[in-house]
Amino acid sequence: MHFYRLLQIRAEALLAAGSHVIILGDLNTAHRPIDHWDAVNLKCFGEDPGRKWMDGLLSNLDCQDGSQVGPFIDSYRCLHPKQEGAFTCWCTVTGARHLNYGSRIDYVLGDRTLVIDTFQDSFLLPEVMGSDHCPVGAVLSVSSVPAKQCPPLCTRFLPEFSGTQLKILHFLVHRKQDPVFKQSALQLSNPTQVRMRQNKIRMRSTRPRPSQGGSSRGQKKLMSYFQPSSSCLQASPNLELPSLGALVTPKTPEDKVIAKMVEGQAKASEAKGEKEVQTSFWKSVLGGPLPMPLCGGHREPCVMRTVKKPGPNQGRHFYMCSRPRGPSTDPSSRCNFFLWSRPS
């Protein structure tokens, strides 16, 4: 509101000096209910301080009406008084632009005489992407007349832009340091640097080399980190387990064939069992995320969101409908599904 008051004082002072004034840009207030999609559900829509300020700033919507309230006119509503769904701002987080669920808060305002005499059109460009706002503009039937001198508020009169173009180094002020402080800082930094060098030398001397301890240079496998430590169970290097062939002593060629078949089946079952163990282990580690619940309105997978508002639930996760936000009467818009996520 402080900005609004300053803006109005400056604009009316220019009008009093005999100039025409155009106020162009984002005023952050939807003036009329037709400029807001959900104005019906907003309590005390007309009691908003920003809307009351615009009521006093603007004239009636009908340009030709003799009754004048404010010194300025909303050019778009003057030329398109009953155009619905003409919005310039949408919430990007909820995807509201997809269903045109927004508001018109960007304006081209002009003084009454200028709008009535020279404005031919005022338009919006909602198809231009790149921001949560869209461009607005107007067409005037005027001719450019060169001024004898620049306005007092022209940018060229600002200290930053007077004369030649300044380099970026001019904006960086060199900070002068006290000589006593600089000398004391050097005295403190020298012992610190000596200690840091000594610590690096100690770390290098105590760090084990790859050749020590009989360690191999080969890269370890991931499964080696899940096996029991070698210090717990140490087998004798000279102890060899008897093979299955040593336990079975065939006496005839038929017995040899049977023994080979038994040994092959044992190896195959052992390899299969080891593979199943590894498969079950990795499935338990890399189980993946749980499937998203389905929303109640469309039976479609939800999206997970996080509470950012300060309070007891800040940081908690919840599920909601993945469709873009829109009016409740539109079946293609987001439903009211809500579900807290269980802590993992």
Side-chain angles (χ1 to χ4, degrees), residues 59-70 73 78 112 116:
S59 299
N60 293 338
L61 297 180
D62 188 1
C63 294
Q64 307 303 327
D65 192 354
S67 61
Q68 179 178 347
V69 178
I73 290 178
C78 175
R112 187 176 180 86
I116 295 175

Side-chain angles (χ1 to χ4, degrees), residues 115-265:
V115 173
I116 295 175
D117 295 342
T118 65
F119 271 64
Q120 294 182 340
D121 189 16
S122 183
F123 56 88
L124 316 178
L125 299 175
E127 68 278 2
V128 178
M129 309 299 288
S131 170
D132 57 337
H133 292 252
C134 77
V136 299
V139 179
L140 284 72
S141 60
V142 294
S143 57
S144 301
V145 179
K148 295 180 180 180
Q149 59 183 5
C150 295
L153 293 179
C154 184
T155 309
R156 65 172 299 177
F157 296 137
L158 296 179
E160 298 93 319
F161 304 104
S162 60
T164 59
Q165 184 177 2
L166 298 179
K167 296 181 179 180
I168 193 172
L169 292 177
H170 293 112
F171 296 92
L172 304 176
V173 181
H174 181 70
R175 187 176 181 181
K176 295 183 180 180
Q177 199 172 31
D178 189 3
V180 178
F181 176 78
K182 187 176 182 180
Q183 185 67 23
S184 60
L186 289 174
Q187 293 177 359
L188 290 174
S189 62
N190 291 334
T192 306
Q193 293 179 358
V194 172
R195 292 194 198 97
M196 290 176 64
R197 293 195 187 98
Q198 293 176 355
N199 292 336
K200 288 183 178 179
I201 294 172
R202 291 196 197 97
M203 291 176 64
R204 290 175 182 173
S205 60
T206 57
R207 186 182 299 169
R209 296 181 179 179
S211 59
Q212 295 177 354
S215 61
S216 61
R217 294 186 178 182
Q219 185 177 2
K220 292 184 177 182
K221 295 183 179 181
L222 189 60
M223 290 297 298
S224 63
Y225 294 95
F226 298 96
Q227 294 177 355
S229 175
S230 59
S231 60
C232 299
L233 297 175
Q234 294 182 352
S236 176
N238 299 324
L239 181 61
E240 296 181 359
L241 296 176
S243 62
L244 186 61
L247 297 176
V248 180
T249 56
K251 296 180 180 180
T252 61
E254 295 179 357
D255 294 338
K256 290 181 180 181
V257 174
I258 295 174
K260 288 182 179 180
M261 291 175 61
V262 172
E263 186 176 359
Q265 292 178 357

Side-chain angles (χ1 to χ4, degrees), residues 292-295 299-303 320-322:
M292 288 288 182
L294 303 180
C295 66
R299 305 305 298 171
E300 296 177 354
C302 297
V303 291
M320 62 185 302
C321 181
S322 61

